[in-house]
Amino acid sequence: LSANPSHGDPIPLNPSNSSPKTSFHRSQTLGYRNGYAFFRLPTVGIGGERLYVNQLSQAELDELSNVRPTLTYGPAKQAPPSGFVPAHVAFDKKILKFDAYFQEDVPLSAEEHYRIRQVCIYYFLEDDSMSVIEPVVHNSGLPQGKLVRRHRVPKNNHGDPYHWKDLNRGMNITIYGRTYRIVDCDLFTQVFLESQGIELNPPEEMVFDPYTELRRKPARQYVTPSDFDQLKQFLTYDKQVLRFYAMWDDTNNMFGENRPFIIHYYLADDTVEVREVHKQNDGRDPFPILIGRQRLPKTFVDKKKTFPSCVLEISDHEVLEWFTAKDFAVGKSTTLLGRTFFVYDCDEFTRNFYRDKFGITDFQPVEINKKPLEEVPQVIPPYNGFGFVEDSLQNCFSLFPKPPRKNIIKMLENHLKVLRYQVSLESPNPEDRKRRFILSYFLSDDMISIYEPQVRNSGIIGGKYLGKTRVAKPGSAVDNPTYYGPSDFTIGSTIEVFGHRFVITDADEHVLNYMESNAESFPAATLQSLRDHFRPRQVAKKAANSPTLETGKQELDELIGQVREELKLHKSLDGKIMREAFCQCDEDGCGILDKAKFLALCDSLGVPTNASLVNKLIDLCSCGEDKINYSDFLRAFAS
């Protein structure tokens, strides 16, 4: 036992702690003798432990175990074991090379959004290390060279390094957060991987940086100078100008017209000028030149639709053919910078030049007939539903609309003349069917208004239902509607007012009197329906007035006074409640009720009809056998 100097406790000397290890390096197995490398067996293991030289290796032990004696040929001879070769000797200077690229975002640039950078990935077989090197590109402005130094690159979070079995063509590899795309490899790498039984993917094309390709300067082109003597042309044709009279037809566009122009062709330098011809009071700005003097291109080398030929300067190598004097002729059209000009005449100098230079003798001027202006039909837009049709139509006739004309004579003749009708709402709701409305038709302007009288304890707020307006009949044309008139208002007819249907149940007597006085203006069916409706009421009134004339008003008043004295004890009878009940049962409002309905209503109100005086009053108020004039009867119950 040995004592611990710090604590004094003895520590047992086990085989594991008898000799603590302080050195963990491996023994050197490579040596040089006379300039040649040779290998030797290690004599000391890890930690400095002694290795026995004469101890059999595992390979030798396996060989001895496989020895079997044979009777005929003796023991089989075994091949000598291969010598020990370290990895840094077997794979010395053997490197796998892969061509790859990665994409890098460029956020703060208006010219490029991403950048493609090509790299070479090297894999060292001797120690399984890797490095990534980017070839230097001249004038790139980027720090290039070694991107990843040589070391064992981890491939996952556990720290496992990449092996050559993990590399192949057409795959992505991530090294420290950056993804590389392997596209190809060299011949040695291909042979090595195929010898190890790895099936390689087909190679891919290398992707190049688009911005670098854009900046790459095109190959320099050399153009042989022309032998045409421009100085001779200038000295020969100086101050000689061809003049053509042309017309530009722009009537197909909005506000376009036929406009005259003069085309000047300068023989000295083959330039063209287009001048406007102004007339007095033509309403145009006094700018005489439409196209300034310049050489005009006729055919481009590769004409693009988006090329702004009128804005940018055009170089000689972009134009295949320029306009010359032979491109202008009388009676033909010529397109100059997108405008087509028709040449209809030229001056005398131009005729002589073409006669001497090209042998053209036909210079018959073309008569220009101005195209007549087409009359654009005035299309009235459809009615939009706001306001009256006549008011909306005035907006189509003038910029400042005027109110439509009114029939003043009709308004003066029918001033304050109103036809009133009682209508009911046609609705699936039974509560709405009980509602009564007053429809007023104004003869002065043919307008209709609807008013709902207030009914006590009905739960419906009465008042104005429809303001004064004209109501069109259903199914009439939107642009030329047909409005309702007095001829359409018959008893029992249905009127549709903006989606709501009303049934005419009654009318004012003034309606019948007005139609009878103007019978030639109304259909016979309308007048007859009103006569049939008012006939029972007129008969009832005549019958109601006849008893009073016979018995006398004094006798009726005396009987009403006696009934009041007899019914003073019946305090439950309220004259106002009785009048409301009788008026509610009288749907026509004529003041006449059927005798059976009258007696049933008196029983429900508690009126003692069995009393002699009450029974006599009922007989006195009778209008025939089946009718009772309840207005005279209610005078006995007035409070």
Side-chain angles (χ1 to χ4, degrees):
L1 298 175
S2 61
N4 192 336
S6 61
H7 299 283
D9 297 333
I11 299 176
L13 295 176
N14 296 330
S16 60
N17 58 13
S18 59
S19 58
K21 298 178 182 180
T22 59
S23 178
F24 296 93
H25 65 274
R26 294 184 178 181
S27 300
Q28 184 65 260
T29 59
L30 181 64
Y32 287 88
R33 182 178 296 173
N34 295 330
Y36 295 94
F38 69 95
F39 64 92
R40 58 189 177 189
L41 296 176
T43 59
V44 181
I46 297 176
E49 294 182 356
R50 181 71 179 176
L51 299 177
Y52 298 98
V53 180
N54 296 330
Q55 186 177 0
L56 296 178
S57 62
Q58 185 65 32
E60 293 175 345
L61 293 175
D62 294 341
E63 182 181 358
L64 291 176
S65 63
N66 293 331
V67 174
R68 295 291 183 270
T70 57
L71 299 177
T72 306
Y73 300 102
K77 295 182 178 180
Q78 299 290 339
S82 60
F84 175 73
V85 180
H88 52 267
V89 176
F91 298 108
D92 185 23
K93 298 180 181 179
K94 293 183 179 181
I95 305 172
L96 305 181
K97 179 185 176 183
F98 297 91
D99 297 330
Y101 70 91
F102 68 93
Q103 180 175 330
E104 183 180 28
D105 294 335
V106 184
L108 301 177
S109 177
E111 298 179 354
E112 53 178 343
H113 302 287
Y114 65 92
R115 186 181 296 122
I116 300 297
R117 301 177 64 175
Q118 302 177 3
V119 297
C120 295
I121 300 177
Y122 295 96
Y123 185 90
F124 299 89
L125 294 173
E126 57 180 339
D127 56 353
D128 298 330
S129 60
M130 295 175 61
S131 67
V132 180
I133 298 177
E134 181 181 8
V136 177
V137 179
H138 179 66
N139 198 21
S140 66
L142 299 174
Q144 297 173 333
K146 185 180 293 184
L147 301 181
V148 179
R149 63 179 180 83
R150 178 181 173 181
H151 67 291
R152 291 189 177 184
V153 179
K155 66 178 179 180
N156 51 29
N157 297 332
H158 302 289
D160 299 333
Y162 276 106
H163 196 261
W164 51 266
K165 297 179 181 180
D166 302 325
L167 305 178
N168 202 336
R169 292 186 301 201
M171 63 171 292
N172 294 332
I173 179 174
T174 303
I175 299 178
Y176 295 117
R178 180 177 288 172
T179 302
Y180 299 87
R181 180 69 179 183
I182 300 176
V183 296
D184 203 356
C185 61
D186 59 357
L187 183 60
F188 171 76
T189 305
Q190 180 179 354
V191 174
F192 175 78
L193 294 178
E194 289 178 351
S195 65
Q196 299 298 324
I198 296 179
E199 184 178 355
L200 291 176
N201 298 328
E204 299 178 357
E205 294 184 1
M206 177 60 72
V207 180
F208 296 93
D209 184 28
Y211 181 69
T212 305
E213 296 295 325
L214 180 64
R215 289 191 56 187
R216 188 168 296 173
K217 296 181 180 179
R220 190 171 183 179
Q221 298 179 357
Y222 298 91
V223 179
T224 304
S226 175
D227 56 353
F228 180 75
D229 192 354
Q230 295 183 355
L231 180 60
K232 180 181 179 180
Q233 179 186 6
F234 174 76
L235 296 176
T236 305
Y237 297 106
D238 186 24
K239 298 182 181 180
Q240 296 185 15
V241 183
L242 304 180
R243 178 178 292 179
F244 301 93
Y245 302 99
M247 186 70 68
W248 176 34
D249 187 3
D250 192 34
T251 55
N252 294 330
N253 295 327
M254 185 179 292
F255 309 113
E257 59 180 349
N258 288 320
R259 299 177 58 185
F261 290 90
I262 296 177
I263 301 176
H264 289 160
Y265 185 87
Y266 296 85
L267 296 173
D269 52 359
D270 297 328
T271 55
V272 182
E273 179 187 62
V274 180
R275 287 179 169 268
E276 297 186 18
V277 178
H278 288 279
K279 297 180 181 179
Q280 189 177 6
N281 297 328
D282 58 356
R284 297 188 176 275
D285 295 333
F287 295 109
I289 298 178
L290 178 66
I291 301 177
R293 182 179 174 180
Q294 58 180 310
R295 295 183 67 192
L296 296 180
K298 182 180 179 181
T299 307
F300 288 93
V301 176
D302 186 12
K303 186 176 182 180
K304 298 180 180 179
K305 295 181 179 180
T306 58
F307 182 73
S309 58
C310 295
V311 179
L312 300 180
E313 296 181 358
I314 303 173
S315 57
D316 294 339
H317 68 275
E318 295 176 355
V319 179
L320 186 63
E321 185 180 0
W322 300 88
F323 274 101
T324 59
K326 63 181 180 180
D327 297 322
F328 297 92
V330 178
K332 294 184 179 180
S333 299
T334 304
T335 302
L336 305 178
L337 297 182
R339 292 182 175 89
T340 301
F341 297 90
F342 178 74
V343 180
Y344 64 89
D345 200 0
C346 61
D347 61 354
E348 188 63 27
F349 173 78
T350 306
R351 295 190 185 96
N352 297 332
F353 176 81
Y354 274 89
R355 189 181 295 110
D356 300 338
K357 184 72 174 179
F358 301 106
I360 300 176
T361 59
D362 185 12
F363 297 100
Q364 184 66 27
V366 180
E367 184 178 356
I368 299 298
N369 296 324
K370 292 186 178 180
K371 186 185 298 184
L373 297 178
E374 297 180 1
E375 294 184 2
V376 179
Q378 185 180 10
V379 179
I380 298 176
Y383 176 59
N384 56 6
F386 293 95
F388 295 108
V389 178
E390 294 79 3
D391 294 338
S392 301
L393 191 61
Q394 296 299 321
N395 296 317
C396 306
F397 294 151
S398 61
L399 184 61
F400 300 98
K402 299 179 181 179
R405 290 186 176 183
K406 297 181 180 180
N407 192 348
I408 304 298
I409 298 177
K410 180 179 179 181
M411 295 177 62
L412 294 176
E413 290 179 351
N414 299 305
H415 183 57
L416 299 179
K417 291 184 179 180
V418 183
L419 304 181
R420 292 180 177 85
Y421 301 86
Q422 181 179 350
V423 295
S424 61
L425 186 62
E426 184 179 288
S427 173
N429 190 359
E431 296 180 358
D432 291 338
R433 287 198 296 266
K434 297 179 180 179
R435 299 169 64 182
R436 295 296 180 264
F437 300 85
I438 304 299
L439 186 146
S440 302
Y441 184 87
F442 299 88
L443 294 172
S444 59
D445 50 5
D446 299 328
M447 290 190 178
I448 294 175
S449 68
I450 299 177
Y451 177 80
E452 183 179 9
Q454 294 184 356
V455 179
R456 187 177 180 183
N457 296 330
S458 64
I460 298 175
I461 301 176
K464 184 186 293 185
Y465 186 83
L466 176 67
K468 290 181 63 176
T469 183
R470 284 186 292 179
V471 180
K473 295 181 180 180
S476 60
V478 179
D479 298 334
N480 188 16
T482 304
Y483 298 101
Y484 279 109
S487 302
D488 303 316
F489 299 150
T490 59
I491 303 299
S493 62
T494 302
I495 301 173
E496 185 173 345
V497 180
F498 302 117
H500 299 274
R501 298 172 62 88
F502 294 89
V503 180
I504 298 178
T505 59
D506 197 1
D508 195 357
E509 290 186 4
H510 172 68
V511 178
L512 179 61
N513 298 333
Y514 176 79
M515 288 189 178
E516 287 181 346
S517 60
N518 300 277
E520 67 279 357
S521 301
F522 300 97
T526 304
L527 186 57
Q528 187 63 32
S529 66
L530 290 172
R531 289 173 177 173
D532 295 342
H533 177 72
F534 282 100
R535 183 176 291 108
R537 189 179 303 178
Q538 294 174 354
V539 173
K541 285 185 177 181
K542 291 180 180 180
N545 295 330
S546 58
T548 307
L549 294 176
E550 294 176 357
T551 58
K553 184 177 181 181
Q554 186 177 0
E555 183 181 356
L556 179 62
D557 294 341
E558 293 177 358
L559 183 60
I560 290 175
Q562 296 176 6
V563 172
R564 286 182 180 178
E565 292 294 334
E566 185 178 353
L567 298 179
K568 280 185 178 180
L569 299 177
H570 295 272
K571 297 182 180 181
S572 60
L573 298 177
D574 191 354
K576 186 180 295 185
I577 297 175
M578 293 177 63
R579 181 171 294 277
E580 290 180 358
F582 279 100
C583 291
Q584 188 174 2
C585 292
D586 186 9
E587 296 179 357
D588 297 336
C590 59
I592 307 297
L593 287 178
D594 294 338
K595 190 171 184 178
K597 186 183 295 185
F598 175 80
L599 295 176
L601 187 59
C602 289
D603 293 340
S604 62
L605 295 174
V607 178
T609 56
N610 297 327
S612 60
L613 292 177
V614 175
N615 196 4
K616 184 178 180 181
L617 180 61
I618 293 174
D619 294 338
L620 191 62
C621 294
S622 299
C623 302
E625 298 180 357
D626 300 331
K627 302 294 181 180
I628 302 295
N629 186 0
Y630 66 87
S631 59
D632 293 337
F633 179 78
L634 292 176
R635 289 170 56 190
F637 300 91
S639 57

